[in-house]
Coordinates of all heavy atoms in Angstrom, one line a residue:
A1 N 1.4 1.2 11.8 CA 1.5 -0.3 11.9 C 1.8 -0.8 10.5 O 1.3 -0.3 9.5 CB 0.1 -0.8 12.3
P2 N 2.6 -1.9 10.4 CA 3.1 -2.4 9.1 C 2.0 -3.0 8.3 O 1.1 -3.6 8.9 CB 4.1 -3.3 9.4 CG 3.8 -3.8 10.8 CD 3.2 -2.6 11.5
L3 N 2.1 -2.9 7.0 CA 1.2 -3.7 6.1 C 1.6 -5.2 6.2 O 2.7 -5.5 6.5 CB 1.3 -3.3 4.7 CG 0.8 -1.8 4.4 CD1 1.0 -1.5 2.9 CD2 -0.6 -1.6 4.8
W4 N 0.6 -6.0 5.9 CA 0.8 -7.5 6.0 C 1.4 -8.0 4.7 O 0.8 -8.8 3.9 CB -0.5 -8.2 6.3 CG -0.4 -9.5 6.9 CD1 0.7 -10.2 7.3 CD2 -1.6 -10.4 7.1 NE1 0.3 -11.4 7.8 CE2 -1.0 -11.6 7.6 CE3 -2.9 -10.3 6.8 CZ2 -1.8 -12.7 7.9 CZ3 -3.7 -11.4 7.1 CH2 -3.2 -12.6 7.7
L5 N 2.7 -7.7 4.5 CA 3.3 -8.0 3.2 C 3.5 -9.4 2.9 O 3.7 -9.9 1.8 CB 4.6 -7.2 3.0 CG 4.5 -5.7 3.0 CD1 5.8 -5.0 3.0 CD2 3.7 -5.3 1.8
D6 N 3.6 -10.2 4.0 CA 3.7 -11.6 3.9 C 2.5 -12.4 4.2 O 2.4 -13.6 4.6 CB 4.9 -12.2 4.8 CG 4.7 -11.8 6.2 OD1 3.7 -11.0 6.5 OD2 5.4 -12.4 7.1
A7 N 1.4 -11.8 3.9 CA 0.1 -12.3 4.1 C -0.1 -13.6 3.2 O 0.5 -13.7 2.2 CB -1.1 -11.4 3.8
P8 N -0.8 -14.6 3.7 CA -1.0 -15.8 2.9 C -1.9 -15.6 1.7 O -2.7 -14.6 1.7 CB -1.7 -16.8 3.9 CG -2.4 -15.9 4.9 CD -1.5 -14.7 5.1
E9 N -1.9 -16.4 0.8 CA -2.8 -16.4 -0.3 C -4.2 -16.6 0.2 O -4.4 -17.3 1.2 CB -2.5 -17.4 -1.4 CG -1.2 -17.2 -2.1 CD -1.2 -16.0 -3.0 OE1 -2.3 -15.5 -3.2 OE2 -0.1 -15.7 -3.5
P10 N -5.3 -15.9 -0.3 CA -5.2 -15.1 -1.5 C -5.0 -13.6 -1.3 O -5.4 -12.8 -2.2 CB -6.7 -15.3 -2.1 CG -7.5 -15.4 -0.8 CD -6.6 -16.1 0.2
L11 N -4.5 -13.3 -0.1 CA -4.3 -11.8 0.2 C -3.0 -11.3 -0.3 O -2.9 -10.0 -0.4 CB -4.4 -11.7 1.7 CG -5.6 -12.3 2.4 CD1 -5.4 -12.2 3.9 CD2 -6.8 -11.5 2.0
T12 N -2.1 -12.1 -0.7 CA -0.7 -11.6 -0.9 C -0.6 -10.5 -1.9 O -0.1 -9.4 -1.7 CB 0.2 -12.8 -1.3 OG1 0.0 -13.9 -0.5 CG2 1.7 -12.3 -1.4
E13 N -1.2 -10.7 -3.1 CA -1.0 -9.7 -4.2 C -1.8 -8.4 -3.9 O -1.3 -7.3 -4.3 CB -1.5 -10.3 -5.5 CG -1.4 -9.3 -6.7 CD 0.0 -8.7 -6.9 OE1 1.0 -9.3 -6.4 OE2 0.1 -7.7 -7.6
G14 N -2.9 -8.5 -3.2 CA -3.7 -7.3 -2.8 C -2.9 -6.4 -1.9 O -2.8 -5.2 -2.2
V15 N -2.2 -7.0 -1.0 CA -1.4 -6.2 0.0 C -0.2 -5.6 -0.7 O 0.1 -4.4 -0.6 CB -1.1 -7.0 1.2 CG1 -0.3 -6.2 2.2 CG2 -2.3 -7.6 1.9
R16 N 0.5 -6.4 -1.4 CA 1.7 -6.0 -2.0 C 1.4 -4.9 -3.1 O 2.2 -4.0 -3.3 CB 2.5 -7.2 -2.6 CG 3.0 -8.1 -1.5 CD 3.8 -9.3 -2.1 NE 4.3 -10.2 -1.0 CZ 4.9 -11.3 -1.2 NH1 5.1 -11.7 -2.5 NH2 5.2 -12.0 -0.2
S17 N 0.4 -5.0 -3.9 CA 0.1 -4.0 -4.9 C -0.3 -2.7 -4.2 O 0.0 -1.6 -4.7 CB -1.0 -4.5 -5.8 OG -2.2 -4.8 -5.2
A18 N -1.1 -2.8 -3.1 CA -1.4 -1.5 -2.4 C -0.2 -0.9 -1.8 O 0.0 0.3 -1.9 CB -2.3 -1.9 -1.2
D19 N 0.8 -1.7 -1.3 CA 2.1 -1.1 -0.9 C 2.8 -0.4 -2.0 O 3.3 0.6 -1.8 CB 2.9 -2.3 -0.2 CG 4.3 -1.8 0.2 OD1 4.3 -0.9 1.1 OD2 5.2 -2.3 -0.3
A20 N 2.9 -1.1 -3.1 CA 3.6 -0.5 -4.3 C 3.0 0.8 -4.7 O 3.6 1.7 -5.0 CB 3.6 -1.5 -5.4
F21 N 1.6 0.8 -4.7 CA 0.9 2.0 -5.1 C 1.2 3.1 -4.1 O 1.5 4.3 -4.5 CB -0.6 1.8 -5.1 CG -1.4 2.9 -5.4 CD1 -1.5 3.5 -6.7 CD2 -2.2 3.6 -4.4 CE1 -2.4 4.6 -6.9 CE2 -2.9 4.6 -4.6 CZ -3.0 5.2 -5.8
E22 N 1.1 2.8 -2.9 CA 1.3 3.9 -1.8 C 2.8 4.4 -2.0 O 3.0 5.7 -1.9 CB 1.1 3.3 -0.4 CG -0.3 3.0 -0.1 CD -0.5 2.5 1.3 OE1 0.5 2.6 2.1 OE2 -1.7 2.1 1.7
R23 N 3.7 3.6 -2.1 CA 5.1 4.0 -2.2 C 5.4 4.9 -3.4 O 6.1 5.9 -3.4 CB 6.0 2.8 -2.1 CG 6.2 2.3 -0.7 CD 7.3 1.2 -0.6 NE 6.9 -0.1 -1.3 CZ 7.4 -0.5 -2.5 NH1 8.3 0.3 -3.1 NH2 7.1 -1.6 -3.0
A24 N 4.7 4.5 -4.5 CA 4.8 5.3 -5.8 C 4.4 6.7 -5.5 O 5.1 7.7 -6.0 CB 4.0 4.6 -6.9
L25 N 3.3 6.9 -4.8 CA 2.8 8.3 -4.6 C 3.6 9.0 -3.6 O 3.9 10.2 -3.7 CB 1.3 8.2 -4.3 CG 0.3 8.4 -5.4 CD1 0.5 7.2 -6.4 CD2 -1.1 8.4 -4.9
L26 N 3.9 8.3 -2.5 CA 4.7 9.0 -1.3 C 6.1 9.3 -1.7 O 6.7 10.2 -1.1 CB 4.6 8.1 -0.1 CG 3.2 7.9 0.5 CD1 3.2 6.8 1.6 CD2 2.6 9.2 1.0
D27 N 6.7 8.5 -2.5 CA 8.2 8.7 -2.8 C 8.5 9.5 -4.0 O 9.6 9.8 -4.3 CB 8.8 7.3 -3.0 CG 8.8 6.4 -1.8 OD1 8.5 6.9 -0.7 OD2 9.0 5.2 -1.9
E28 N 7.5 10.0 -4.7 CA 7.7 10.8 -5.9 C 8.2 12.2 -5.4 O 7.6 12.9 -4.7 CB 6.4 11.0 -6.7 CG 6.6 11.9 -8.0 CD 7.4 11.1 -9.0 OE1 7.4 9.9 -9.1 OE2 8.0 11.8 -9.9
D29 N 9.4 12.6 -5.8 CA 10.0 13.9 -5.5 C 9.2 15.0 -6.1 O 8.8 14.9 -7.2 CB 11.5 13.9 -5.9 CG 12.3 13.0 -5.1 OD1 12.0 12.6 -4.0 OD2 13.4 12.6 -5.7
G30 N 9.2 16.1 -5.4 CA 8.7 17.4 -6.0 C 7.1 17.5 -5.9 O 6.5 18.4 -6.5
I31 N 6.5 16.6 -5.2 CA 5.0 16.7 -5.1 C 4.6 16.0 -3.7 O 5.3 15.1 -3.3 CB 4.3 15.9 -6.3 CG1 2.8 16.2 -6.2 CG2 4.6 14.4 -6.3 CD1 2.1 15.8 -7.5
E32 N 3.6 16.5 -3.2 CA 3.0 15.9 -1.9 C 2.2 14.8 -2.2 O 1.2 14.8 -2.8 CB 2.2 17.0 -1.1 CG 3.0 18.2 -0.6 CD 2.2 19.2 0.1 OE1 0.9 19.2 -0.2 OE2 2.7 20.0 0.8
G33 N 2.6 13.6 -1.7 CA 1.8 12.4 -1.8 C 0.9 12.1 -0.6 O 1.4 12.2 0.6
V34 N -0.4 12.0 -0.8 CA -1.3 11.8 0.3 C -2.0 10.4 0.0 O -2.7 10.3 -1.0 CB -2.3 12.9 0.4 CG1 -3.4 12.6 1.5 CG2 -1.6 14.2 0.8
I35 N -2.0 9.5 0.9 CA -2.7 8.2 0.8 C -3.8 8.2 1.8 O -3.7 8.5 3.0 CB -1.7 7.1 1.1 CG1 -0.6 7.0 0.1 CG2 -2.5 5.7 1.1 CD1 -0.9 6.8 -1.3
L36 N -5.0 8.0 1.2 CA -6.2 7.8 2.1 C -6.6 6.3 2.1 O -7.0 5.8 1.1 CB -7.4 8.7 1.5 CG -7.1 10.2 1.3 CD1 -8.4 10.9 0.8 CD2 -6.7 10.8 2.7
R37 N -6.4 5.8 3.2 CA -6.7 4.4 3.5 C -8.2 4.3 4.0 O -8.4 4.5 5.2 CB -5.8 3.7 4.4 CG -4.4 3.5 3.9 CD -3.6 2.8 5.0 NE -2.2 2.5 4.5 CZ -1.2 2.2 5.3 NH1 -1.5 2.1 6.6 NH2 0.0 2.0 4.8
Y38 N -9.1 4.1 3.0 CA -10.5 4.0 3.4 C -10.9 2.7 4.1 O -10.2 1.7 3.9 CB -11.4 4.1 2.2 CG -11.2 5.4 1.4 CD1 -10.6 5.3 0.1 CD2 -11.6 6.6 1.9 CE1 -10.4 6.5 -0.7 CE2 -11.5 7.8 1.1 CZ -10.9 7.7 -0.2 OH -10.7 8.8 -0.9
G39 N -11.9 2.7 5.0 CA -12.4 1.6 5.6 C -13.4 0.9 4.6 O -13.4 1.2 3.4
F40 N -14.1 -0.1 5.0 CA -15.1 -0.8 4.2 C -16.2 0.2 3.8 O -16.8 0.7 4.7 CB -15.7 -2.0 4.9 CG -14.7 -3.2 5.1 CD1 -14.0 -3.3 6.2 CD2 -14.5 -4.1 4.1 CE1 -13.0 -4.3 6.4 CE2 -13.6 -5.1 4.2 CZ -12.9 -5.2 5.4

């Protein structure tokens, strides 16, 4: 399911920064990126 990248404030930056972080780890060549999305 897609992240809520166009979420209204004050959620916007939290979602977009999480997306940027996830992509940084998953898209790095030569290493396995694993994202653990924890609940509350």
Side-chain angles (χ1 to χ4, degrees):
L3 294 180
W4 198 10
L5 295 176
D6 58 349
E9 294 291 351
L11 303 174
T12 311
E13 178 58 17
V15 180
R16 292 180 181 176
S17 63
D19 177 61
F21 175 76
E22 292 186 5
R23 287 188 288 107
L25 270 58
L26 294 172
D27 294 347
E28 182 71 26
D29 291 334
I31 190 169
E32 295 177 338
V34 175
I35 299 297
L36 301 182
R37 290 181 179 166
Y38 300 111
F40 289 95

